[in-house]
Amino acid sequence: MSWNPVYRQVKKIPRGRVSTYGDVAKALRLRAGARAVGYALAACPSGQGIPWHRVLGAGGRIRVPEPHAALQRKLLESEGVKMGVTVDVSVYGWPFRKSKGGARKKKRAKSRR
């Protein structure tokens, strides 16, 4: 299995924002869910600009082992994400949007009324 769809989805998360493994999996409709996203990011190739550090566990928890957890915390803080025990996903969370085609259809339907 290729992890490229996961990497493309993670690249959509902007600086200073985060997402959860589950949200990435849901956006991609991955059968294996959050665990598959975790496996993909664990196998993340270096030097390709994949912002793996912007993906957290449920509730905004860092789920990677040390020493990578310290690096993840440092990278997030350098992007302006306030860190405590967890990251406030309601403040820093990045919602993956559905396709623009669906949004246009809804707008058209509303304007016809």
Side-chain angles (χ1 to χ4, degrees), residues 27-42:
L28 292 171
R29 296 183 178 146
L30 285 179
R31 202 169 200 194
R35 189 171 300 236
V37 175
Y39 288 143
L41 294 180

Side-chain angles (χ1 to χ4, degrees), residues 15-95:
R15 286 181 57 84
R17 302 302 291 269
V18 297
S19 189
T20 65
Y21 295 104
D23 288 341
V24 174
K26 186 176 178 183
L28 292 171
R29 296 183 178 146
L30 285 179
R31 202 169 200 194
R35 189 171 300 236
V37 175
Y39 288 143
L41 294 180
C44 188
S46 61
Q48 297 204 1
I50 301 164
W52 61 271
H53 62 281
R54 296 181 188 150
V55 183
L56 302 168
R61 294 187 183 280
I62 291 179
R63 304 301 299 174
V64 296
E66 292 294 345
H68 304 289
L71 175 61
Q72 185 174 19
R73 179 178 297 276
K74 182 179 175 183
L75 291 169
L76 288 172
E77 287 174 342
S78 73
E79 292 182 358
V81 176
K82 302 277 190 247
M83 299 288 300
V85 174
T86 63
V87 172
D88 189 349
V89 180
S90 66
V91 174
Y92 296 103
W94 178 253

